[in-house]
């Protein structure tokens, strides 16, 4: 089954063709980062307009590279939640129009479920890669989300813990901006951290009372603000590499302490940990998670770098499993809407 997938929830216009939820036939991403970098963050209206401009050619290119026409496509999958509402609506309306015009099923896909499903395209049992199948536990770390999710089946998800305030990616971007790194700062902080001292600055150990699997990153961000302001008052610059290394270590330690707890919980019986989301590209986090999984005899899965950030392959993978698992659902319902925030 060939799915044409569309993703436009934030600042990347994406289209892909994916076969049977596992095989990538094409993967096109038009990034708006250069435009938003001028403003230090994503400007929602500019994002919507840029999606409108790009979505037709991105889709045409995805079909062309997959050596397909619309008549070869069995269904259309689209991200409809969560994300920037104006940005999501561009993708949803475009996908709806295609589905209506070509009389194809239309599959709505949850963006975060999609991030998890990106792993299916890589761990597909081909080219020496393992075949990843649920059940497993996924750590989703992106610009807008940080969650620990129990994936019972391809379409059954239970949230074990999530952030009470900022997401991991958001906190990286905010601190990066404070130390003068351009938007989006996550990847730049990752690189700078390699040359810095992770013990240069002390950060608090953030815990959420009675919710051991929940995260809180705003306290870490406030500590960074205080360190930077105190240094500025003394006329001392904050070393970018040291701050990057210390802040990264604080975020990674906060995550690892939850993962350690997870492995000790016999009810969860975690033997497979699956990393997902834009921050999955962070080299320090990947290394720390790999070591922790090794220590507990668990398997660690993380997507290749090109499938960590937003892409439409992940929407095609999850869309396939939504379709085959819930065939009795009305996939021809053209009143589909988009939602800025949503639960699993
Ligand atoms: O998943 P994603 O592409 O978009 C959302 O769904 O939010 O994640 C984007 C986030 C941004 O905050 C970006 O700074 C962060 O992922 N990111 C990183 C790295 N690469 C991207 N954060 C830390 N280290 C990285 N290497
Ligand atoms: Zn994302």
């Amino acid at each position: 089954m060939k799915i044409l997938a569309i993703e436009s929830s934030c600042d990347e216009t994406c289209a892909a063709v994916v076969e049977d939820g596992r095989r990538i036939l094409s993967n096109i991403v038009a990034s708006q980062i250069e435009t938003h970098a001028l403003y230090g963050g994503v400007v929602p209206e500019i994002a919507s307009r840029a999606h409108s401009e790009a979505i037709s050619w991105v889709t045409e290119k995805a079909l062309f590279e997959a050596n397909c026409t619309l008549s070869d496509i069995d269904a259309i999958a689209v991200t409809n939640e969560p994300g920037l509402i104006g940005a999501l609506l561009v993708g949803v309306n475009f996908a709806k129009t295609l589905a209506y015009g070509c009389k194809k099923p239309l599959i709505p896909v949850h963006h975060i479920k999609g991030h998890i499903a990106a792993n299916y395209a890589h761990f597909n049992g081909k080219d020496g890669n393992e075949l990843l199948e649920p059940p497993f536990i996924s750590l989703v770390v992106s610009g807008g989300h940080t969650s620990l999710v129990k994936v019972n089946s391809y379409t059954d998800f239970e949230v074990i813990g999530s952030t009470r305030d900022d997401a991991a990616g958001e906190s990286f971007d905010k601190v990066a901006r404070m130390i003068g790194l351009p938007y989006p700062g996550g990847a730049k902080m990752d690189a700078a951290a390699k040359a810095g001292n992770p013990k240069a600055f002390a950060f608090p150990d953030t815990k959420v009372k009675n919710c051991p699997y929940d995260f809180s990153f705003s306290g870490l961000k406030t500590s960074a603000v205080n360190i930077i302001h105190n240094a500025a008052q003394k006329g001392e610059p904050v070393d970018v590499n040291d701050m990057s290394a210390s802040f990264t270590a604080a975020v990674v330690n906060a995550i690892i302490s939850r993962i350690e707890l997870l492995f000790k919980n016999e009810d969860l019986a975690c033997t497979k940990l699956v990393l997902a989301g834009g921050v999955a590209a962070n080299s320090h986090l990947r290394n720390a998670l790999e070591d922790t999984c090794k220590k507990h005899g668990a398997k660690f899965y993380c997507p290749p770098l090109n499938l960590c950030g937003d892409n439409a392959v992940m929407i095609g993978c999850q869309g396939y499993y939504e379709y085959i698992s819930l065939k009795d659902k009305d996939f021809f319902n053209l009143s589909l809407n988009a939602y800025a925030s949503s639960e699993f």
Side-chain angles (χ1 to χ4, degrees):
M1 177 179 183
K2 287 193 181 98
I3 292 186
L4 170 64
I6 311 274
E7 151 65 43
S8 69
S9 65
C10 191
D11 56 355
E12 262 121 12
T13 316
C14 318
V17 179
V18 178
E19 192 168 35
D20 297 336
R22 296 277 181 171
R23 189 164 164 243
I24 304 172
L25 300 186
S26 63
N27 178 19
I28 310 299
V29 178
S31 173
Q32 306 171 6
I33 280 176
E34 272 182 33
T35 312
H36 298 295
L38 300 172
Y39 305 92
V42 179
V43 182
E45 188 185 333
I46 293 177
S48 308
R49 289 172 186 276
H51 285 307
S52 287
E53 280 171 18
I55 200 150
S56 304
W57 71 257
V58 165
T59 304
E60 267 192 320
K61 197 165 177 208
L63 287 167
F64 178 79
E65 290 202 359
N67 205 13
C68 284
T69 65
L70 276 171
S71 57
D72 302 313
I73 297 296
D74 299 294
I76 294 164
V78 64
T79 308
N80 76 318
E81 60 183 342
L84 299 172
I85 194 65
L88 284 167
L89 282 168
V90 174
V92 166
N93 279 318
F94 185 81
K96 249 193 223 192
T97 310
L98 277 184
Y100 176 73
C102 307
K103 301 200 170 28
K104 310 274 182 196
L106 177 66
I107 312 168
V109 176
H110 190 287
H111 182 78
I112 302 302
K113 293 179 185 174
H115 269 303
I116 297 171
N119 283 281
Y120 300 142
H122 184 68
F123 297 104
N124 59 1
K126 305 261 162 65
D127 307 320
N129 291 321
E130 275 182 50
L131 181 70
L132 172 66
E133 288 178 300
F136 55 77
I137 290 179
S138 182
L139 168 69
V140 188
V141 273
S142 73
H145 289 80
T146 304
S147 306
L148 271 169
V149 184
K150 195 160 170 268
V151 182
N152 298 321
S153 76
Y154 289 105
T155 52
D156 179 17
F157 301 81
E158 259 175 77
V159 178
I160 306 170
S162 50
T163 181
R164 292 300 183 98
D165 37 59
D166 290 355
E170 189 181 0
S171 73
F172 274 123
D173 293 343
K174 284 179 179 165
V175 174
R177 190 176 166 167
M178 286 189 269
I179 54 175
L181 295 172
Y183 177 84
K188 281 138 200 141
M189 266 187 108
D190 185 350
K194 289 179 185 152
N197 173 7
K199 295 203 169 118
F201 302 107
F203 283 90
D205 184 11
T206 56
K207 296 240 167 9
V208 181
K209 204 173 168 195
N210 298 330
C211 297
Y213 296 109
D214 279 358
F215 301 88
S216 168
F217 293 110
S218 77
L220 296 182
K221 185 190 67 193
T222 307
S223 292
V225 172
N226 290 339
I227 294 166
I228 294 163
H229 282 175
N230 287 343
Q233 277 171 352
K234 290 185 208 150
E236 293 167 2
V238 165
D239 185 89
V240 170
N241 295 341
D242 283 349
M243 175 52 83
S244 298
S246 302
F247 188 77
T248 301
V251 171
V252 170
N253 290 342
I255 292 173
I256 295 299
S257 75
R258 273 72 173 173
I259 302 296
E260 285 283 0
L261 217 57
L262 190 113
F263 281 126
K264 288 185 189 124
N265 185 334
E266 285 173 12
D267 292 338
L268 291 173
C270 179
T271 55
K272 291 190 254 180
L273 184 73
V274 175
L275 184 59
V279 184
N282 187 278
S283 58
H284 311 272
L285 180 62
R286 287 165 92 102
N287 292 340
L289 287 169
E290 189 159 18
D291 290 348
T292 308
C293 285
K294 207 178 272 172
K295 190 170 107 189
H296 292 276
K299 282 193 171 156
F300 176 57
Y301 301 83
C302 64
L305 293 183
N306 70 326
L307 296 180
C308 290
D310 291 345
N311 64 82
V313 166
M314 66 190 208
I315 303 305
C317 295
Q318 184 60 22
Y320 171 77
Y321 288 105
E322 296 285 344
Y323 187 73
I324 59 165
S325 316
L326 305 165
K327 263 200 210 113
D328 53 335
K329 242 181 107 187
D330 180 9
F331 285 113
F332 291 90
N333 181 357
L334 292 176
S335 59
L336 178 69
N337 210 336
Y339 304 94
S341 57
S342 67
E343 299 297 317
F344 264 83

